[in-house]
Amino acid sequence: MTGAITKVSGTRLRGRALRAAFLVAAAYCTLSSLWNLAPAVAEVPAPAGTVSAPPADKGFMTKIVSAAAQGCTAATVAAILSAFTEPLVNRLLVKRMTFGQAFAEMTFAATAKFFLTTFPTNMLKFPVFEVINMILSFTSLSGSIRGIVNGFLFCTIMLPVTNYRFRKSMGWEIKPALLYQAYVPTVSRDIVYGWARGA
């Protein structure tokens, strides 16, 4: 009997250790990505009497690819964090569990399995937002109007992905008819966010 208790305790301890390691890795990835956001070091000025070439203007495609790359980086970090936090938050808010109950249900295997959902959906969502934003920056629309259009387009294109991911995190059946569930409040939220970001 004691051996069975020790085995169960060892399994729980390993599960908690894996969760802790996952959280540390996620925090490390987040913090190390912040380092890349620091401003670039200024270039050394050319010696006196020399003429330096004017900086080349980046082309349309270069800016689009750059925005997509930034979105991919953000998507990777967010997918790592979301793989653990989304199921936990959904258990707290939707299933009305206590934090202890919700945390006890979390396992490394479930987190790793849900990562296989968060990563591809983030790789769709984040780059799409940045690309729409960059494409709209080439229009003559003002910043706030551009943000409103961006919020509307992003929500309309990506809400099925968001609803798929939510239903997957809850372990619910995925029905195509429900992929645009809560469209009006979600598009309203995204329009306000786009407007605030563009203003």
Side-chain angles (χ1 to χ4, degrees), residues 101-193:
Q101 292 169 328
F103 190 76
E105 278 194 10
M106 300 301 298
T107 64
F108 183 76
T111 300
K113 183 178 179 185
F114 188 56
F115 177 77
L116 297 177
T117 300
T118 61
F119 184 68
T121 55
N122 275 5
M123 290 303 278
L124 287 172
K125 289 173 66 172
F126 282 68
V128 165
F129 182 83
E130 294 302 331
V131 167
I132 291 172
N133 198 34
M134 186 56 63
I135 289 171
L136 289 174
S137 73
F138 285 93
T139 66
S140 60
L141 297 173
S142 68
S144 56
I145 300 299
R146 196 168 54 233
I148 290 170
V149 172
N150 192 355
F152 171 77
L153 289 174
F154 176 75
C155 180
T156 303
I157 295 167
M158 288 291 123
L159 186 61
V161 174
T162 303
N163 282 336
Y164 168 82
R165 181 169 156 167
F166 169 72
R167 298 186 76 77
K168 192 88 167 164
S169 77
M170 293 301 296
W172 294 349
E173 183 181 358
I174 298 164
K175 300 176 183 176
L178 296 175
L179 292 181
Y180 273 98
Q181 187 174 19
Y183 178 75
V184 173
T186 308
V187 77
S188 301
R189 180 203 65 198
D190 286 355
I191 285 173
V192 169
Y193 170 75

Side-chain angles (χ1 to χ4, degrees), residues 17-75:
L18 286 173
R19 283 192 293 249
F22 185 81
L23 289 175
V24 168
Y28 173 77
C29 290
T30 302
L31 293 174
S32 65
S33 69
L34 291 177
W35 178 262
N36 294 330
L37 298 177
V41 177
E43 291 183 24
V44 177
T50 61
V51 178
S52 59
D57 187 28
K58 293 182 181 177
F60 177 76
M61 284 309 294
T62 303
K63 288 184 178 182
I64 298 299
V65 170
S66 175
Q70 290 172 356
C72 289
T73 302

